[in-house]
Every structure is written in structure tokens, then in C-alpha cells.
Amino acid sequence: MKEIKDSKIAVVGLGYVGLPLAVAFAEKFPVIGYDISQARIDELSQGYDRTREIQKSELEAVAQNLTFTTNEREMVNANIYILALPTPVNEFNVPDFDPLIAASETVGKYIAVGDVVIFESTVYPGATREICAPAIEKSSGLVFNKDFFLGYSPERVSPADHSNVAKIVKVTSGSTPEVGQYVDSLYKEIISAGTHLVSTMEVAEACKVIENAQRDVNIGFMNEVAILMNKLGINTAEVIGAMRTKWNSLPFVPGMVGGHCIGVDPYYLVHKAQSVGHNMGILKATRTINDSMGYYIAQQIITLASKKNVAAPGARALLMGATFKENCPDIRNSRPLDIKKALEEMNVVVDVYDPVVEPSEMKTHYGIEVVKELKKGYYDIIILAVMHDEIKAMEPDTIRALGKDPCVIYDVKSVLPPGMADGAL
Ligand SMILES: NC(=O)c1ccc[n+]([C@@H]2O[C@H](COP(=O)([O-])OP(=O)(O)OC[C@H]3O[C@@H](n4cnc5c(N)ncnc54)[C@H](O)[C@@H]3O)[C@@H](O)[C@H]2O)c1
């Protein structure tokens, strides 16, 4: 392995995780940023990051050290490869390792003896050793832990939270104790919050996937609580506010769990558990309830509508916010769009307003034209689903004025003043 100070780094996969990492490393080392998407590379080369994580000025500041390319051969001089590929699930919620395997095979074509390949993608414990190492061996002809080595360092950034990668403690690990030390030293160069070296890659893999699964379970419990409180006629937000006055209450609220982390990663753990004959019952129940919240909200809306004599067939609804999180343009696994789908099944016409999404992505992925101009007095139903800053900045009366009289207002996140919404989670 080369000395850390002589490192040349290739970052493979320049999405929400890979780009900030490439920028952070480029402050100290020469970095090749490689991605298969020509559109992504073109935009980054022009200083535009559609994920909103990195500003143009930040890209300009490291431009000397950071090259963006779709040409995999440009990675040949790197000695450290960091992979930040998507780890989705398929339509049966089974882990899909195709992107990770494809990128491992690509990297295998260019690594040399002594190189280190570090994985940042969220996987189940054992995946890096069992799935990625053989893929690299296959395309490189080199031997794992003799000719080349692996590291695993899970990413913990939270999109749209301005959670700078350098300011979050980084868990590090390697395929041998020496490589663990090496990987740890490398990340210490850029992580001002410090690192936490663990004994094996499996510990680091487990740490990340369990962090996310734990959040999922806690949100799932609050969703179940919200459903019960609604049945009992008790205001969930008020209950949570009261709970918060206890020093050790946990700050979880009900909500829709979309995106491609918390709503997906638990399936990796469920899958691995099954392979060793263990049934992750709590996680499976959590996934069921969290995945059903969009449909539950739609049912609630229809009930509220009938109470106000708003007939569902032919009603026009406005869905405000369609991404998985406030101020984040990521539209993967959008749960607000579950609300839309369920309402459409009841013949409600649903317009989507979202000032944060890339309209072209909504069109390509979902065939949806987002509404640009909001019309006054136009809607029978208004759903406040994702409170992007632009939506939060609207006065409650301005939102109300978009509706007809009568109009059902459903406030998923309980942000409107008391009494203004007809329903909330
Ligand atoms: N998004 C987050 O905030 C976050 C946080 C922590 C961990 N993670 C995990 O990090 C991993 C990456 O997530 P992400 O959000 O950055 O994904 P992403 O989809 O935003 O980015 C992945 C990038 O990889 C590229 N890519 C796909 N296949 C490739 C290949 N074969 N070769 C080169 N590039 C390829 C895509 O074009 C894309 O630009 C996932 O495992 C995710 O669960 C994500």
C-alpha cells in the first residue's frame, strides 16, 4: 500500500454520497470522480450539482484537484478507490447488488497490486467481503487480501441537512487489521469530527444498516400511535408535545418513510437475517406500516371529504411536496405519490406542486407534470405533504385561499396553526 500522503483517489458514483466525498478528498489529494451518467458529469463539469449538496463555489475551490469523467480508464493511476453506488431493492424488496457488482468489476480492471478499494454503500453485514471482493477478483485476476485490500466506511450524511461529511464521525474498517488502520488514517485526513475504527468490515456494515433500521422502527411505532390516536380522537401532535417534556423521550414523529435509505436499508437486514434462519419480525412489521402510510392518509382524506360533503369522484386535489424529505430533490420511493395514487383510484384528480424537484425528473420517472402556478380557489382537497422552505414560507391563509369552499386540508406534518387543517397524522 502506498503512503497516505501519496494517495491518488478515484471516487466511483458521484451521487448524494460520492460527490461531497470527492470534494472533501480533493482538498488534500488528487481525485478522479467517475460516474456512468454522462448527464451528471456534464452538469458537475459546469459547476451544477442537482442534488443541492455542493455549491458551485465549492466545486471551483477544488477544481485543480478534482476531475470528473465517464471514462473509466482515467482511474488507472489511482491507488485508492472509493465506491458510493446505489444499493436499492427490487420489486420484491430483495437487495439489488447489480450497481455495486458492476462498479466493482469496473474498478477491478484498473487496480494494481497494493491498491485499496473502500465501499461506502449501505449493505448488510458480510456483503463487502462476500459479494464485492469476488467481483473485483474476477475482473482483476488479483487475489483479495494478498494483492488488493478492502475497506468499508459507511456514509452518514443526511441530504438537505447541510450535514457536511467532514463534521460527522466516520466509522472505518478494513479487510485486515493493518488495512483498517490504513483506511482510518486516510479518513482522518478529511474528517474533522474524527473517526471510529472498528475491528472488522462486518461491524461497520452492521453499524450503518442498524442505525437506519432503528430510525425506521421508531418512526413505525409513531405511525402506529398516530393511527390509534386518530381512532381515539386524540391529537397526536399534542401528545408528542407533552411527551417531549420528559428528558428521555425520543424525538420521533409519525410520517412517510420514503427515499432510498431508511425505507430501503432495513430490507437488507431482513434479507441477511433470513439467510441465517432468523426472522426480523419487528422490522418486517415496521416496513409494512411505514410503506402503507400514504394509503392510510388517502383514506383519511376521503373520510374527511365525505364529512364536508366533498365528493371524491371528480374532486381536484393539490399535493404540496412530492420528495421524500424537506428541501431535498430526491424523488426515489416517493411516499407522497402513494397518496396521489390512492386518491386517483377513487377518481380524484391530483395536481403535484413541488418547487424543489427537477420537473424533467418527475416527468421521466413518474410521467407527472408538476404544477408551476398555483390557482386560487381551485382545489377541493389540499395536502401539505412535504414542507420545503418555499412551501413553509407561504402564509397559512395563502394556502387556504388555494381551496374552494368547502375544501379539505390535510396537514401531514402538523405545521398549520391549530384548527386550520381538517386532519393530520
Ligand atoms: N443519499 C444519502 O443521503 C445517503 C446517506 C448515507 C448512505 N447512503 C448510501 O450510499 C450509497 C449511495 O447513495 P447515493 O444517495 O449517493 O446514490 P445516488 O443514486 O445519489 O448516486 C449514485 C451514483 O452512482 C452512479 N452509478 C451507478 N452505477 C454506476 C457504475 N456502475 N459506475 C459508476 N457510477 C455508477 C449513478 O449514476 C449516480 O450518480 C447507497 O448505498 C446509499 O444507501 C446514502
Side-chain angles (χ1 to χ4, degrees):
M1 291 182 291
K2 267 193 188 161
E3 278 193 49
I4 296 284
K5 67 175 177 47
D6 300 325
S7 300
K8 288 198 172 63
I9 299 174
V11 176
V12 181
L14 299 172
Y16 283 87
V17 168
L19 179 66
L21 205 63
V23 169
F25 273 116
E27 284 171 18
K28 291 259 173 101
F29 303 101
V31 176
I32 299 284
Y34 167 72
D35 200 290
I36 46 167
S37 163
Q38 188 64 53
R40 177 74 170 150
I41 293 300
D42 290 346
E43 286 178 357
L44 291 175
S45 303
Q46 284 156 29
Y48 172 61
D49 169 27
R50 66 167 59 207
T51 69
R52 294 182 165 205
E53 294 298 307
I54 298 292
Q55 303 302 315
K56 189 170 193 184
S57 57
E58 294 172 279
L59 288 174
E60 283 167 356
V62 293
Q64 295 277 33
N65 256 358
L66 179 55
T67 315
F68 295 118
T69 184
T70 51
N71 180 359
E72 56 183 54
R73 287 177 203 84
E74 289 188 39
M75 295 192 283
V76 70
N77 291 325
N79 63 303
I80 292 173
Y81 295 80
I82 301 180
L83 276 64
L85 283 308
T87 42
V89 288
N90 69 14
E91 72 263 45
F92 304 109
N93 290 327
V94 171
D96 172 5
F97 282 104
D98 287 354
L100 209 47
I101 292 172
S104 298
E105 288 179 353
T106 302
V107 162
K109 290 194 246 168
Y110 301 101
I111 59 167
V113 171
D115 287 356
V116 178
V117 185
I118 303 169
F119 291 83
E120 293 243 352
S121 300
T122 309
V123 290
Y124 55 68
T128 304
R129 201 181 294 272
E130 293 157 13
I131 293 172
C132 303
I136 298 172
E137 280 189 323
K138 190 175 124 194
S139 65
S140 66
L142 300 177
V143 179
F144 170 49
N145 264 351
K146 177 174 160 282
D147 300 325
F148 73 93
F149 304 93
L150 298 188
Y152 181 81
S153 180
E155 188 49 73
R156 294 162 132 181
V157 289
S158 180
D161 286 352
H162 306 292
S163 54
N164 186 313
V165 60
K167 298 202 172 108
I168 306 166
V169 174
K170 198 96 168 77
V171 172
T172 56
S173 67
S175 55
T176 70
E178 297 72 35
V179 178
Q181 292 286 354
Y182 184 84
V183 171
D184 192 61
S185 306
L186 176 72
Y187 280 96
K188 274 200 169 90
E189 293 283 334
I190 61 157
I191 307 291
S192 55
T195 58
H196 181 87
L197 173 62
V198 294
S199 61
T200 64
M201 296 193 294
E202 287 72 13
V203 171
E205 290 167 321
C207 156
K208 170 66 193 184
V209 72
I210 294 169
E211 272 169 18
N212 279 2
Q214 188 185 51
R215 275 189 70 73
D216 199 33
V217 170
N218 279 295
I219 297 167
F221 175 63
M222 295 314 290
N223 279 335
E224 187 127 53
V225 163
I227 293 169
L228 175 64
M229 292 302 107
N230 279 342
K231 282 193 171 157
L232 298 176
I234 299 171
N235 183 308
T236 312
E238 195 180 350
V239 173
I240 293 173
M243 283 168 63
R244 286 273 172 85
T245 60
K246 193 180 178 204
W247 72 95
N248 61 357
S249 74
L250 301 176
F252 289 97
V253 293
M256 293 177 283
V257 183
H260 63 136
C261 288
I262 295 175
V264 168
D265 301 345
Y267 289 118
Y268 276 70
L269 206 51
V270 165
H271 183 78
K272 181 68 182 178
Q274 263 156 2
S275 78
V276 292
H278 183 70
N279 179 34
M280 294 289 277
I282 292 178
L283 260 190
K284 282 186 181 172
T286 298
R287 287 282 71 246
T288 303
I289 190 160
N290 286 351
D291 274 355
S292 68
M293 291 313 286
Y295 298 96
Y296 171 76
I297 290 168
Q299 287 291 347
Q300 291 286 105
I301 291 167
I302 294 300
T303 305
L304 293 165
S306 72
K307 282 185 186 162
K308 277 192 148 178
N309 287 327
V310 174
R316 192 169 269 274
L318 176 66
L319 179 69
M320 301 184 80
T323 66
F324 89 98
K325 185 177 180 183
E326 288 74 16
N327 303 318
C328 177
D330 195 341
I331 52 168
R332 287 174 286 188
N333 300 326
S334 162
R335 297 276 83 96
L337 293 183
D338 288 348
I339 306 176
K340 177 177 187 292
K341 188 162 171 250
L343 289 177
E344 283 170 348
E345 279 164 13
M346 293 176 248
N347 289 327
V348 176
V349 179
V350 184
D351 286 351
V352 176
Y353 172 71
D354 193 310
V356 169
V357 296
E358 287 277 339
S360 61
E361 278 190 28
M362 280 296 270
K363 184 82 186 141
T364 312
H365 288 281
Y366 295 109
I368 293 172
E369 295 275 3
V370 287
V371 168
K372 293 199 179 80
E373 297 290 327
L374 290 170
K375 292 184 198 156
K376 275 188 182 174
Y378 193 63
Y379 292 101
D380 303 288
I381 299 167
I382 297 173
I383 308 143
L384 285 164
V386 188
M387 295 309 286
H388 299 308
D389 285 348
E390 290 88 337
I391 299 177
K392 228 193 250 169
M394 292 170 75
E395 291 296 329
D397 285 341
T398 310
I399 293 173
R400 174 67 194 82
L402 301 171
K404 295 177 185 162
D405 192 13
C407 168
V408 174
I409 301 184
Y410 196 90
D411 181 12
V412 174
K413 297 273 170 88
S414 294
V415 289
L416 290 177
M420 220 181 138
D422 300 284
L425 253 192

